[in-house]
């Protein structure tokens, strides 16, 4: 098991619940968008904790998901907290990385595209 991905799954799940609480108890414009995105990705990282040990495609997908979440969620949270973006294009770059990450994970289902260690 990849303990890093397992730990990230727990942390992302906790952040998702915190974002749901923030959305319910504040006038935050983006927390209601952030919360489900985090909460949906938490179990994905728990699954990646197992898949990443047998597939480089899954490992790469997990890294792309992590970077995508940091950029996408970071940009939305930054808008709420500071009133400014992380940097121009951070959210679209993060979204693109999230799509790429999921496609890499999907590649684990195709033996020809799976890069065994």
């Amino acid at each position: 098991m990849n303990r890093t991905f397992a730990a990230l799954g727990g942390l992302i799940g906790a952040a998702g619940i915190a974002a749901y609480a923030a959305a319910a108890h504040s006038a935050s414009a983006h927390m209601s968008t952030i919360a489900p995105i985090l909460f949906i990705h938490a179990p994905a990282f728990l699954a990646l904790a197992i898949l990443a040990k047998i597939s480089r495609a899954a490992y790469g997908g997990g890294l792309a998901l992590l970077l995508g979440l940091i950029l996408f969620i970071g940009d939305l949270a930054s808008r709420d907290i500071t009133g400014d973006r992380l940097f121009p294009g951070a959210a679209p770059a993060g979204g693109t990385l999230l799509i790429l990450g999921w496609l890499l994970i999907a590649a684990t289902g195709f033996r020809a595209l799976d890069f065994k260690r």
Side-chain angles (χ1 to χ4, degrees), residues 10-25 31 34-36 38-40 42:
L11 292 172
I12 290 168
I17 294 298
Y20 272 122
H25 298 288
M31 286 299 158
I34 291 170
L38 288 171
F39 209 53
I40 288 167

Side-chain angles (χ1 to χ4, degrees), residues 43-61:
F45 277 92
L46 297 177
L48 285 168
I50 297 166
L51 283 175
K53 293 299 276 183
I54 60 171
S55 169
R56 285 190 186 179
Y59 186 81

Side-chain angles (χ1 to χ4, degrees), residues 9-101:
L11 292 172
I12 290 168
I17 294 298
Y20 272 122
H25 298 288
S26 72
S28 171
H30 294 99
M31 286 299 158
S32 60
T33 301
I34 291 170
I37 293 170
L38 288 171
F39 209 53
I40 288 167
H41 284 86
F45 277 92
L46 297 177
L48 285 168
I50 297 166
L51 283 175
K53 293 299 276 183
I54 60 171
S55 169
R56 285 190 186 179
Y59 186 81
L63 293 178
L65 286 181
L66 179 61
L67 185 55
L69 284 173
I70 290 169
L71 291 175
F72 189 79
I73 300 301
D75 189 56
L76 293 180
S78 177
R79 292 177 195 193
D80 277 356
I81 295 166
T82 68
D84 202 8
R85 309 176 85 156
L86 281 179
F87 58 86
T96 301
L97 283 167
L98 287 170
I99 293 167
L100 175 63

